[in-house]
């Protein structure tokens, strides 16, 4: 396994990285990227154990519901590149399992890649989202064929790929990107049907980054959350990058062009839902704390808003649990979360997030935005004024209350908060992506049978009469008390 220092050293590998208008010779020294690199280094140090045959708990394939639950619980304490590594590898193994019967060579390569990643203790990011050009047109119909990553050359040893993957979380501070088609490809689009693991320092790879990272001179008391939790996303360009065969998991087989994105969607969304359980509970906690600090916790409309937030949080938790306890198993015995519950939970968490933040802002009041800096509380010229006017009652002093407001602003209404609003909706695919999956996995036949029974119509469309109309219950169970 690698230590944090060895990991930081491993990022000085000749990769071509850019941010804010300049090239970055060393990501570990770049103010906007250093935070995510240090967070990942801390993760390495936390997991490190000496020895040749030890490996991190993120290189783990769950084979039971309990193992699935334990691995998801563990993830909540990991940095993003580590979470992403686990999801990428489970994705490639799930896809391999689905392809094994037709393409055993890809399944073997996927397993070998898993073992090699484990041995080298690398971090892997997920490269799904293409540039996509005109969204109304498929890859083969774009005016520039590179708007979706594609194969531009093939040889006995491997393939050469060209294109770009957008918004890739933690790309600048990881080792490999797992490239895969963003959607199902049609006949004639074989070259866009490519899945492969590409090193981020491979010749021809460039990573252009964005980050909400607070600037280095900002006060951590004013940014209590985002000063500790920094992310970066990168636009990864593949400028005729050679990928050797052992790293290629799909190269033109249309029937499996969507297998990877479906498998990744499942693992990525389950991980997100696990983190949204915590996110939703945190929103409830902030709402309750600020209501108490303002003396509002017994006011009916405040209690009502908090109850709505509790229901939101509890339904996410319930669906997360259901997704794991209804896991299915591959022929290899690997556990996969339930598609319907995972996607319904992700949809619910994302679609209602802004309503929950609205409740929090409504409860908290305008000081979310206007509470002065804690530095003003230390300035002798302003300290007494703030102590007098920012306190509310015995036990709620200015320092405590101002810290609450700064946390709510930082977490939900500032640079990080804005990032979170969009991320909850878009990361793992927009709301529509989850609707497609829930529609495919819902038991529609059962729903139709219930609807027919309610209408008093048989499966063949005949109107039922007499006792038949009463159905198996003989009464309406939804109205029974
Ligand atoms: C912070 C963050 C981190 C991310 N991390 C990653 C990552 O690590 N790896 C990765 O691969 N991606 C990542 N993503 C990308 C994310 O998956 C995409 O943003 C998302 O899938 C939407 O794609 P898009 O941004 O290109 O928007 P668009 O595709 O332009 O979508 C915008 C809207 O248009 C709709 N739409 C688009 N095309 C069609 C169509 N043909 N028919 C009907 N509706 C359509 C979409 O459903 C959506 O509602 C990340 C995104 C964010 C914000």
């Amino acid at each position: 396994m690698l230590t944090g220092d060895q990991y930081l050293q491993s990022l000085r590998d000749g990769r071509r990285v850019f941010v804010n208008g300049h090239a970055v010779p060393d990501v570990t020294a770049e103010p906007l990227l250093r935070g995510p690199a240090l967070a990942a280094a801390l993760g390495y140090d936390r997991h490190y154990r000496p020895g040749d045959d030890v490996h991190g708990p993120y290189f783990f394939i769950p084979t039971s519901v309990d193992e699935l639950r334990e691995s998801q619980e563990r993830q909540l304490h990991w940095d993003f590149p580590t979470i992403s590594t686990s999801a990428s590898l489970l994705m490639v193994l799930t896809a391999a399992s689905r392809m094994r019967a037709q393409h055993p060579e890809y399944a073997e390569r996927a397993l070998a890649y898993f073992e090699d990643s484990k041995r080298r203790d690398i971090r892997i990011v997920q490269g799904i989202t293409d540039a996509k050009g005109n969204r109304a047109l498929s890859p083969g119909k774009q005016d520039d064929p590179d708007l979706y990553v594609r194969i531009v050359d093939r040889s006995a040893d491997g393939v050469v790929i060209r294109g770009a993957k957008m918004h890739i979380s933690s790309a600048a501070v990881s080792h490999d990107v797992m490239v895969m088609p963003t959607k199902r490809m049609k006949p004639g689009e074989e070259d866009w049907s490519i899945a492969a693991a590409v090193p981020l320092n491979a010749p021809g790879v460039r990573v252009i980054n964005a980050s909400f990272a607070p600037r280095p001179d900002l006060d951590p008391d004013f940014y209590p959350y985002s000063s500790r939790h920094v992310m970066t996303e990168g636009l990864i360009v593949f400028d005729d990058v050679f990928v050797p065969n052992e790293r290629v998991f799909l190269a033109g087989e249309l029937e499996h062009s969507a297998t990877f994105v479906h498998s990744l969607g499942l693992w990525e969304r389950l991980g997100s839902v696990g983190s949204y359980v915590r996110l939703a509970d945190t929103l409830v906690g902030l709402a309750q704390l600020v209501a108490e600090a303002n003396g509002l916790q017994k006011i009916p409309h405040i209690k009502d808003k908090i109850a709505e937030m509790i229901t939101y949080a509890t339904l996410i938790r319930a669906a997360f649990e259901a997704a794991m306890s209804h896991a299915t198993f591959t022929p290899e015995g690997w556990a996969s979360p339930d598609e319907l519950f995972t996607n319904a939970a992700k949809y619910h968490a994302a679609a209602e997030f802004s309503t929950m933040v609205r409740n929090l802002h409504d409860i908290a009041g305008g000081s979310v935005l206007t509470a002065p800096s804690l530095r003003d509380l230390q300035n002798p010229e302003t300290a007494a004024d703030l102590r007098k006017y920012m306190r509310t009652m015995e036990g709620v002093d200015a320092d405590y209350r101002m810290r609450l407001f700064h946390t709510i602003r930082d977490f939900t209404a500032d640079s990080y908060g804005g990032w979170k609003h969009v991320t909850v909706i878009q990361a793992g695919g927009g709301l529509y992506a989850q609707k497609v999956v829930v529609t495919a996995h819902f038991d529609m036949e059962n729903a139709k049978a219930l609807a027919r029974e309610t209408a008093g119509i048989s499966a063949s469309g005949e109107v039922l009469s007499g006792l038949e109309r009463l159905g198996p219950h003989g009464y309406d169970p939804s109205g029974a008390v």
Side-chain angles (χ1 to χ4, degrees):
M1 294 178 74
L2 299 184
T3 63
D5 275 347
Q6 287 168 330
Y7 156 73
L8 291 174
Q9 183 55 37
S10 74
L11 298 178
R12 299 179 193 116
D13 58 0
R15 61 186 56 209
R16 296 193 63 203
V17 172
F18 303 83
V19 73
N20 228 7
H22 61 267
V24 177
D26 177 358
V27 289
T28 68
E30 162 60 43
L32 282 174
L33 303 175
R34 190 173 156 70
L38 291 180
L42 269 179
Y44 269 96
D45 278 338
R46 251 197 307 270
H47 286 118
Y48 179 77
R49 279 177 298 136
D52 285 341
D53 54 354
V54 289
H55 56 79
Y58 29 91
F59 296 111
F60 175 73
I61 312 173
T63 56
S64 69
V65 167
D66 283 345
E67 285 184 359
L68 180 58
R69 187 174 286 115
E70 283 159 23
S71 63
Q72 291 297 315
E73 292 282 331
R74 280 199 297 265
Q75 267 198 32
L76 293 174
H77 307 286
W78 297 346
D79 55 279
F80 186 81
T82 302
I83 294 172
S84 174
T85 301
S86 168
S88 301
L89 289 170
L90 289 171
M91 173 279 295
V92 85
L93 290 172
T94 307
S97 170
R98 292 175 184 176
M99 293 167 63
R100 187 182 295 280
Q102 285 166 289
H103 303 287
E105 74 285 7
Y106 287 144
E108 290 313 310
R109 282 181 197 173
L111 258 178
Y113 179 71
F114 175 83
E115 291 301 329
D116 188 53
S117 307
K118 188 159 92 176
R119 187 183 56 74
R120 295 191 298 129
D121 204 8
I122 60 166
R123 297 296 181 264
I124 306 162
V125 289
Q126 306 151 14
I128 309 134
T129 313
D130 290 283
K132 293 188 288 197
N134 181 342
R135 270 70 174 149
L137 301 178
S138 56
K141 300 234 166 70
Q142 299 288 334
D143 59 11
D144 179 344
D146 301 342
L147 290 170
Y148 286 75
V149 170
R150 65 184 180 121
I151 300 168
V152 290
D153 200 10
R154 294 169 187 260
S155 66
D157 303 333
V159 297
V160 175
I161 63 171
R162 186 188 300 161
K165 292 288 185 183
M166 315 275 290
H167 327 281
I168 309 306
S169 301
S170 298
V173 296
S174 297
H175 301 101
D176 275 9
V177 52
M178 184 67 71
V179 170
M180 70 199 88
T182 197
K183 62 178 181 181
R184 187 179 303 285
M185 298 296 161
K186 301 190 180 118
E189 295 178 337
E190 286 75 6
D191 285 343
W192 288 274
S193 192
I194 167 74
V198 182
L200 283 150
N201 69 340
V205 171
R206 297 188 284 277
V207 187
I208 307 167
N209 291 275
S211 176
F212 64 79
R215 300 315 184 244
D217 58 337
L218 288 184
D219 175 8
D221 279 336
F222 204 68
Y223 294 91
Y225 188 80
S226 63
S227 54
R228 291 177 290 130
H229 296 84
V230 188
M231 291 284 286
T232 175
E233 286 83 35
L235 187 167
I236 307 180
V237 178
F238 302 91
D239 189 359
D240 290 4
V241 177
F242 173 72
V243 191
N245 281 334
E246 66 268 20
R247 286 174 158 266
V248 175
F249 310 114
L250 186 79
E253 296 78 2
L254 290 180
E255 72 279 17
H256 284 294
S257 52
T259 302
F260 287 83
V261 74
H262 283 162
S263 308
L264 186 80
L266 186 58
W267 286 106
E268 207 279 336
R269 286 173 202 158
L270 183 75
S272 299
V273 171
S275 72
Y276 295 156
V277 171
R278 182 149 121 180
L279 173 66
D281 284 353
T282 305
L283 292 180
V284 174
L286 287 170
Q288 183 67 25
L289 286 182
V290 79
E292 289 172 5
N294 288 346
L296 288 166
Q297 72 274 24
K298 296 202 174 120
I299 302 291
H301 81 89
I302 302 287
K303 282 169 66 182
D304 183 66
K305 289 183 180 93
I306 293 176
E308 189 182 348
M309 296 172 78
I310 291 171
T311 306
Y312 167 76
T314 305
L315 285 177
I316 299 172
R317 185 185 297 282
F320 181 55
E321 273 301 316
M324 294 186 292
S325 50
H326 289 76
T328 54
F329 293 86
T330 66
E332 296 84 351
W334 303 332
S336 287
D338 178 84
E339 303 254 9
L340 180 63
F341 286 118
T342 302
N343 281 274
K346 164 69 171 68
Y347 178 87
H348 175 67
E352 299 303 322
F353 178 74
S354 59
T355 308
M356 300 309 132
V357 173
R358 182 194 72 188
N359 283 338
L360 173 61
H361 291 172
D362 199 9
I363 292 167
S367 293
V368 165
L369 293 183
T370 64
S373 158
L374 284 156
R375 289 174 180 171
D376 292 310
L377 202 53
Q378 279 140 28
N379 177 353
E381 286 185 272
T382 48
D385 290 338
L386 292 181
R387 273 203 299 273
K388 179 176 166 68
Y389 293 112
M390 289 303 291
R391 74 176 283 282
T392 46
M393 65 192 89
E394 178 72 31
V396 184
D397 64 19
D399 182 281
Y400 170 74
R401 194 157 162 266
M402 286 163 73
R403 282 182 195 277
L404 266 187
F405 287 129
H406 290 324
T407 305
I408 296 171
R409 189 204 71 257
D410 186 26
F411 200 58
T412 62
D414 210 326
S415 187
Y416 172 85
W419 176 88
K420 194 73 192 167
H421 265 278
V422 179
T423 302
V424 165
I425 299 286
Q426 294 293 356
L431 298 175
Y432 172 67
Q434 289 107 69
K435 284 185 172 166
V436 170
V437 183
V438 297
T439 305
H441 290 273
F442 182 72
D443 188 349
M444 193 58 87
E445 287 313 312
N446 176 54
K448 282 161 63 178
L450 290 172
R452 275 195 293 265
E453 185 188 318
T454 304
I457 301 169
S458 76
S460 55
E462 291 153 17
V463 177
L464 301 173
S465 59
L467 278 178
E468 276 177 328
R469 289 193 73 125
L470 288 174
H473 306 297
Y475 67 97
D476 176 1
S478 61
V481 283

